[in-house]
Amino acid sequence: MKLKKFEYAVAVAVLALVAGCGGGGGGGGGSATTPPPAGSTPPATPGQTDFTVGGTVTGLRAGATVTLANGADTLPVGANGSFVFPTTLKSGAAYEIKVTPPGGYTCKATGASGAVGTANVAAAVDCAPNVLAGVVGSLQEPVAVTSDGKGTVYVLDAGLHGVQKLDAAGALAMLAGGTGQPGLVDAKGSAARFWLDGDDNNGATVDSQGNLFIMDGCNGAIRKMTPDGVVSTLAGNGTTACYNVATPAVKADGTGAAARFEKPTSMASDGAGGVIVIDANAGLTVRRVNSAGVVVTTDYANPDPSQPTISLRTITRAENGTVYIADANNRIWRDVNGSLVLHAGSLVGGSAQNGTGANARFVAITGMTTTPNGDLYVSDFASVRKVTPSGVVTTLAGSATRGDKDGVGSAAEFGNLLSIGFDGTNLFVVDSGQEVLRRITLDGAVTTVAATPAVRKTINGDAGSARFGSFSSLAADAEGNLYFVDPVTHVLRKATPAGVVTTVAGVVGSAGLDNGPVATAKLAAPTRVATGRDGSIWVAQSLGLRRIKDGTVTTANASVRPIGLTVDNEHNAIVVTGAGTGEVLRVTPAGVTTKLVDKAQIQALVGANANFVPQSVAVDAAGNIYIGDTGTVAVYKLTPGGALTVFAGTPFKETGNVDGAVNVATLGFYEVDHLAVDEKGFLYLSGSGNVRLISPAGVVSTPNFVWGSAPIGAITYNKGKLIGMTRYAVVQQYFTP
């Protein structure tokens, strides 16, 4: 099972109408009157025979206009408050208010259709902005960067599973893939599918004809894309390396689809229309793929007999044909007539050091690129290093201090560099500290690319100024407030239905286990949050389970390691423990802990080879507990009476996102998964590329939610709204299955 790290936060959310509301009309005359607040019925006046149709609008932000229609009457409403149609109706006449939301909103109407009685009609129209709080960003999870050397920069985005293009004018656009749904499909543009992984090195390179080669690691394939976005597969055809259900990955030489890669981790052009690939667990081998897709494995002799085990990790090729390869010990080797010769780096120490050849040291080499004069540039953890053809190593920009500062040389700060490329004039790096692109001149001046602004922060404020620090978890209370935690800054935060964000508990940047009033209590790497009907808020930490009630923080269980969390109808926490122990536990407010499900029960149900790795959990109104298990890629149901069944998905079958009934549907669990349940008992499951919908009968479907390709992590359902959290924003939409 592959558990994802808690990542920093940003996202795009593109939402549209889900809940329309009523329609119809009626005639009549008379003057309009202002109705009372929605939810009440305006009284009739003595002798009244004509009645108004109106109500209230809520949820609009400044500048948004909702359009309402009843029959021939059309009424634009540009502010929250009361509305009334000009045409009145007589008792018994039908009315139906149709709602056209503003762009970027969904709306829900209550009491919007029916027959007029003996009182004025008062409907309630509530509109929800698609982005509740935070910002919309163009990059979700950039993992690799390369260039054609003529000013065009390509970025692989593992969050969207697509290829983005930054043109010479600085505009960023999706060129291929980008739906957020993993897959392996050869096609043009958005019809193509990739499965890009955010946890390991990813690679891309461009040949002299302008073709982009993409290292599609989780598909075990080398993909080729023409300059106009037509994607094909050069070699490879599937791997199980990224599946949660463990099966051996296979390496095999061959041609095209007959070849097998375990999981490519770095790649360079071979200068002849093919590529040189470093595969997972490479040792001292590289895989050479020619322009016809023929794959051949080449072995290098051990260049350092004092180190019996050397594993190659990162590769690049200079214009003069010199191939440079970095190993897992952060040494850079040069291929000289098929033998590896040390170019720069040393096994000694763990800090960066400038120098020549073996006197230099690197911290963590993640990418390499060259310039036409033969200089080699290396992304080395939080700095960019320059290596001359003679092996002289200097630091071009950055230092051991991590951050997100633009500047020159050591005054610049990077968060965590993943990849580096050269566009013919400047260097570009992927900085996963902020999920941005940084531009670096050859003089060491660092700027953040304007199309990818740094927005990862822990900032409270209104919907537009609030900023978020990470994926985490979502929960909602009876008033519609949302709660989420930030494991990096150690706080619990809240967003009101209007998107105003505040800190509820914890001290930003200060981890601790102090209980007491929320103003002074501390949290330690909180990872999940859940709310109870009694007004309690439960917080799962990397170690320990905390509870907040009446403004006071207590510790319910200090030793449990919760991965998933919910609260049952009796106000107890239900915890799943993931890969560590593979259990479902009930924890009372007093700390009494009971095991509900363990690995042995799952094995008795689906087979002795089951590896129970529960990560998500939800409880419905009837008290049924639903468990998302990445170990067997299925959702289980535990009734209040203790009956355990497979509820959705097909155990052990991880072959994509197939919709259907239990033992037909498949659940990918590509990312960290979350479960939510609505009032009707429908489940919502994230972590499969799209949010999946599971009916009360266990039938899985994949709706087209209006947030489009935004990679949703945490989810919850509250008051008719499905709410999701991306890396940079909280998004929402009205949704009724």
Side-chain angles (χ1 to χ4, degrees):
M1 199 287 292
K2 179 184 58 175
L3 289 177
K4 297 281 184 179
K5 59 179 181 279
F6 290 96
E7 300 176 277
Y8 281 113
V10 73
V12 228
V14 182
L15 301 166
L17 171 65
V18 161
C21 318
S31 59
T33 59
T34 300
S40 61
T41 301
T45 59
Q48 183 176 348
T49 59
D50 295 310
F51 300 93
T52 61
V53 176
T56 57
V57 171
T58 56
L60 295 178
R61 292 178 179 170
T65 298
V66 62
T67 301
L68 308 176
N70 182 43
D73 283 351
T74 299
L75 186 64
V77 179
N80 296 319
S82 300
F83 71 90
V84 63
F85 288 101
T87 302
T88 57
L89 301 177
K90 294 188 179 298
S91 180
Y95 69 91
E96 189 173 6
I97 302 172
K98 295 182 178 180
V99 181
T100 303
Y105 280 74
T106 57
C107 297
K108 178 182 180 181
T110 303
S113 63
V116 176
T118 57
N120 298 323
V121 172
V125 177
D126 184 65
C127 294
N130 301 340
V131 180
L132 174 66
V135 295
V136 173
S138 52
L139 286 180
Q140 300 303 305
E141 193 179 355
V143 291
V145 61
T146 192
S147 174
D148 62 1
K150 301 175 182 178
T152 298
V153 175
Y154 299 97
V155 186
L156 304 190
D157 192 327
L160 296 172
H161 297 287
V163 180
Q164 301 222 47
K165 175 182 175 181
L166 181 74
D167 64 23
L172 188 68
M174 189 65 69
L175 186 60
T179 64
Q181 179 65 60
L184 177 58
V185 178
D186 290 338
K188 183 176 181 179
S190 61
R193 294 289 182 272
F194 307 91
W195 187 0
L196 306 176
D197 181 36
D199 273 0
D200 296 305
N201 291 338
N202 290 262
T205 190
V206 181
D207 67 13
S208 58
Q209 287 74 45
N211 297 303
L212 175 69
F213 294 88
I214 300 153
M215 197 174 63
D216 195 351
C218 286
N219 280 320
I222 306 302
R223 315 291 293 281
K224 179 181 178 180
M225 186 175 71
T226 62
D228 60 349
V230 177
V231 178
S232 59
T233 300
L234 179 64
N237 187 30
T239 177
T240 59
C242 293
Y243 285 178
N244 290 301
V245 177
T247 55
V250 176
K251 293 182 181 179
D253 290 345
T255 301
R260 288 290 184 271
F261 297 90
E262 181 175 348
K263 188 181 182 186
T265 58
S266 186
M267 178 172 60
S269 170
D270 68 359
V275 291
I276 310 169
V277 178
I278 295 180
D279 206 349
N281 303 306
L284 282 165
T285 65
V286 295
R287 315 285 302 278
R288 297 181 183 271
V289 188
N290 70 14
S291 59
V294 178
V295 180
V296 177
T297 299
T298 301
D299 296 300
Y300 286 105
N302 189 344
D304 183 3
S306 70
Q307 296 294 317
T309 302
I310 297 176
S311 185
L312 306 180
R313 292 291 300 274
T314 310
I315 188 170
T316 193
R317 180 181 176 276
E319 286 191 6
N320 66 3
T322 301
V323 173
Y324 296 96
I325 306 176
D327 65 24
N329 290 314
N330 298 303
R331 295 177 295 178
I332 299 174
W333 305 86
R334 189 173 68 250
D335 183 325
V336 179
N337 299 321
S339 297
L340 295 179
V341 176
L342 184 67
H343 188 61
S346 170
L347 291 171
V348 179
S351 59
Q353 177 176 298
N354 292 329
T356 300
N359 292 319
R361 290 201 299 267
F362 299 90
V363 178
I365 296 175
T366 57
M368 299 187 296
T369 192
T370 62
T371 53
N373 68 350
D375 288 333
L376 178 68
Y377 290 89
V378 178
S379 53
D380 183 25
F381 185 52
S383 65
V384 174
R385 317 286 296 282
K386 175 183 175 181
V387 188
T388 69
S390 59
V392 178
V393 179
T394 55
T395 300
L396 177 68
S399 65
T401 301
R402 299 178 65 193
D404 60 348
K405 289 183 181 179
D406 289 342
V408 179
S410 60
E413 294 179 359
F414 301 100
N416 185 25
L417 300 182
L418 295 183
S419 178
I420 187 168
F422 180 66
D423 76 342
T425 304
N426 300 300
L427 299 164
F428 286 81
V429 293
V430 169
D431 188 348
S432 69
Q434 281 279 359
E435 311 288 8
V436 297
L437 289 181
R438 315 282 294 276
R439 179 187 290 108
I440 309 163
T441 70
L442 296 184
D443 294 326
V446 179
T447 54
T448 300
V449 173
T452 66
V455 294
R456 188 196 75 206
K457 301 287 183 182
T458 301
I459 297 177
N460 294 330
D462 60 25
S465 60
R467 295 292 182 267
F468 303 96
S470 70
F471 270 127
S472 58
S473 177
L474 278 176
D477 64 18
E479 285 71 46
N481 297 304
L482 296 174
Y483 297 88
F484 36 90
V485 290
D486 189 330
V488 176
T489 56
H490 312 291
V491 292
L492 168 68
R493 304 171 73 195
K494 178 178 82 171
T496 69
V500 177
V501 178
T502 56
T503 297
V504 175
V507 177
V508 173
S510 180
L513 302 175
D514 306 12
N515 290 323
V518 291
T520 57
K522 291 185 178 181
L523 305 174
T527 56
R528 299 274 177 126
V529 60
T531 54
R533 297 180 183 179
D534 60 347
S536 62
I537 304 172
W538 292 75
V539 177
Q541 299 182 155
S542 58
L543 177 62
L545 183 63
R546 314 288 288 280
R547 181 174 183 263
I548 303 172
K549 183 73 166 63
D550 299 326
T552 300
V553 180
T554 58
T555 300
N557 186 315
S559 60
V560 69
R561 293 184 179 274
I563 298 297
L565 172 68
T566 191
V567 180
D568 68 16
N569 300 333
E570 285 72 46
H571 321 311
N572 305 305
I574 306 297
V575 169
V576 294
T577 59
T581 55
E583 295 176 332
V584 181
L585 307 174
R586 177 190 292 119
V587 183
T588 71
V592 178
T593 301
T594 306
K595 183 190 300 182
L596 302 178
V597 182
D598 61 15
K599 182 177 179 179
Q601 290 169 270
I602 297 296
Q603 290 178 332
L605 182 65
V606 299
N609 60 333
N611 184 24
F612 187 41
V613 188
Q615 281 195 169
S616 57
V617 63
V619 177
D620 66 16
N624 297 300
I625 298 173
Y626 301 91
I627 306 143
D629 175 35
T630 62
T632 60
V633 291
V635 175
Y636 296 93
K637 177 180 178 179
L638 180 69
T639 68
L644 181 68
T645 57
V646 179
F647 181 69
T650 305
F652 311 111
K653 189 175 182 181
E654 187 175 28
T655 56
N657 288 327
V658 176
D659 291 340
V662 63
N663 292 321
V664 173
T666 57
L667 304 173
F669 290 103
Y670 303 108
E671 302 287 341
V672 175
D673 54 290
H674 295 252
L675 273 172
V677 62
D678 66 19
E679 296 89 345
K680 296 180 180 179
F682 283 83
L683 285 177
Y684 303 83
L685 174 68
S686 68
S688 294
N690 297 106
V691 176
R692 313 290 295 281
L693 177 67
I694 307 174
S695 76
V699 177
V700 178
S701 59
T702 308
N704 292 318
F705 293 110
V706 293
W707 47 54
S709 60
I712 302 300
I715 52 174
T716 192
Y717 192 95
N718 184 257
K719 296 182 179 296
K721 298 174 189 172
L722 182 62
I723 303 150
M725 192 168 190
T726 70
R727 288 174 174 80
Y728 297 100
V730 177
V731 298
Q732 60 181 354
Q733 71 168 93
Y734 274 109
F735 182 80
T736 302

